[in-house]
């Protein structure tokens, strides 16, 4: 369900998920309410034992949610940094082409423009579907050939070619990083922990004996909303290339709209 909702707009997916999550939590409460009323005949002991259980569980699950949410956001930020680094290397290579002789200068810049367009139009849609793109290999080869396609005529050109090759090697490494994190995400065991924890959280809140049903539902619903928001955010950060919470190819688009236009 949540995977499907991640393909919807942020406001819609988050709203539907929170409403559904709160609704299920309230159903658990209503299902257990009569049983709790029968079992909690000694209210003082019931409340005392339950307070310890809810308090301890709240700490464990709260810390678990916080740590996983922080780790998921860190992964999202790392993927964004990888995209920024690769686009920066493309900009460096494009600038370095200024010192190349013709026709290698034009070849290198044309290859970089083609590569950047394909990252936006081909690579990103594939990565959004958790598919590692391979079509860009030919573009990388074209860039390499443009750099090594001439014999330096003097010391300056030797130095320019050597420095550009170093930048190219950095670029290739950054491209590999971007591709390798295509299907990066939380292992299934952690998702099991999160979902089982959410269920146990709803059950423990349902075990609290509250005579006023409305107050009980409001209390459980408010806590469920916060848990749902965290789970939705974790799911969004867990898919860094797709969904409403995703790394976009904006850094590459800015090259097409900016540097590539200013430096023909």
């Amino acid at each position: 369900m949540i995977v499907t909702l991640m393909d919807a707009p942020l406001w819609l997916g988050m709203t539907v998920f929170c409403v559904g999550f709160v609704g299920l939590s309230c159903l658990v409460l209503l299902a257990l309410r009569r049983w709790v009323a029968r079992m909690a005949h000694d209210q003082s002991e019931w409340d005392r034992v339950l307070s310890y259980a809810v308090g301890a569980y709240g700490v464990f699950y709260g810390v678990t949610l916080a740590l996983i949410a922080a780790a998921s956001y860190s992964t999202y930020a790392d993927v964004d940094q990888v995209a920024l680094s690769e686009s920066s290397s493309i900009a460096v290579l494009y600038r370095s082409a200024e010192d190349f002789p013709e026709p290698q200068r034009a070849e290198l810049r044309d290859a970089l423009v083609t590569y950047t367009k394909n990252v936006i139009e081909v690579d990103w849609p594939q990565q959004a579907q958790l598919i590692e793109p391979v079509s860009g290999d030919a573009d990388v080869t074209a860039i390499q050939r443009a750099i090594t396609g001439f014999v330096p005529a003097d010391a300056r050109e030797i130095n320019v070619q050597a420095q550009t090759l170093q930048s190219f090697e950095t670029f290739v490494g950054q491209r590999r990083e971007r591709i390798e994190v295509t299907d990066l995400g939380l292992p299934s065991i952690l998702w099991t922990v999160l979902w089982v924890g959410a269920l146990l959280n709803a059950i423990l809140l349902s075990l609290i004996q509250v005579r006023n049903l409305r107050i009980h539902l409001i209390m459980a619903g408010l806590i469920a909303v916060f848990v749902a928001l965290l789970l939705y955010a974790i799911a969004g950060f867990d898919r860094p290339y797709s969904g409403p919470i995703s790394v976009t190819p904006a850094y590459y688009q800015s090259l097409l709209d900016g540097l590539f236009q200013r430096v023909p």
Side-chain angles (χ1 to χ4, degrees):
M1 174 185 172
I2 192 169
V3 174
T4 302
L5 291 177
M6 294 309 300
D7 294 327
L10 179 61
W11 67 270
L12 178 61
M14 182 179 292
T15 301
V16 172
F17 179 72
C18 288
V19 170
F21 191 88
V22 172
L24 289 175
S25 298
C26 291
L27 287 177
V28 171
L29 188 154
L30 293 173
L32 295 177
R33 185 171 175 81
R34 290 185 178 180
W35 179 83
V36 171
R38 291 196 306 268
M39 295 297 296
H41 50 83
D42 186 350
Q43 186 172 353
S44 61
E45 183 179 9
W46 180 274
D47 290 344
R48 179 170 57 83
V49 174
L50 188 60
S51 65
Y52 289 131
V54 171
Y57 179 80
V59 171
F60 286 126
Y61 189 58
V63 170
T64 301
L65 270 178
L67 290 176
I68 294 179
S72 298
Y73 177 75
S74 177
T75 299
Y76 171 86
D78 289 343
V79 172
D80 184 75
Q81 182 61 46
V82 167
L84 174 60
S85 298
E86 185 188 17
S87 64
S88 298
S89 292
I90 294 173
V92 170
L93 289 171
Y94 195 85
R95 288 284 189 182
S96 298
E98 181 66 27
D99 296 323
F100 274 47
E102 292 290 0
Q104 282 74 29
R105 178 191 306 171
E107 291 177 2
L108 178 54
R109 286 184 168 172
D110 288 345
L112 289 168
V113 171
T114 300
Y115 174 82
T116 304
K117 288 181 178 178
N118 286 337
V119 167
I120 298 171
E121 299 171 2
V122 179
D123 286 14
W124 229 262
Q126 289 182 345
Q127 290 184 275
Q129 300 175 17
L130 304 183
I131 300 172
E132 292 190 4
V134 296
S135 59
D137 292 346
D139 298 328
V140 174
T141 300
I143 295 171
Q144 183 178 18
R145 286 175 177 171
I147 296 173
T148 59
F150 72 100
V151 177
D154 51 36
R156 186 188 70 83
E157 289 189 354
I158 293 176
N159 186 49
V160 167
Q161 189 180 56
Q163 290 181 346
T164 305
L165 280 173
Q166 288 182 347
S167 299
F168 173 76
E169 291 174 359
T170 300
F171 155 73
V172 170
Q174 291 164 343
R175 176 178 183 269
R176 188 70 250 161
E177 288 183 45
R178 172 175 61 81
I179 293 174
E180 286 299 321
V181 297
T182 295
D183 57 353
L184 183 65
L186 292 175
S188 58
I189 184 62
L190 284 183
W191 276 114
T192 301
V193 169
L194 289 175
W195 289 118
V196 172
L199 175 61
L200 294 177
N201 182 71
I203 292 174
L204 283 175
L205 290 175
S206 302
L207 295 180
I208 300 174
Q209 191 174 27
V210 182
R211 294 181 180 177
N212 190 315
L213 177 59
R214 182 178 298 177
I215 294 177
H216 201 179
L217 289 173
I218 291 175
M219 176 191 68
L222 290 175
I223 296 176
V225 167
F226 183 67
V227 173
L229 288 173
L230 278 175
L231 290 175
Y232 187 87
I234 291 171
F237 294 140
D238 194 44
R239 303 173 66 195
Y241 286 115
S242 62
I245 310 173
S246 62
V247 177
T248 68
Y251 299 127
Y252 304 89
Q253 187 63 51
S254 67
L255 290 177
L256 293 178
D257 298 336
L259 177 63
F260 294 170
Q261 298 295 328
R262 295 193 302 269
V263 185

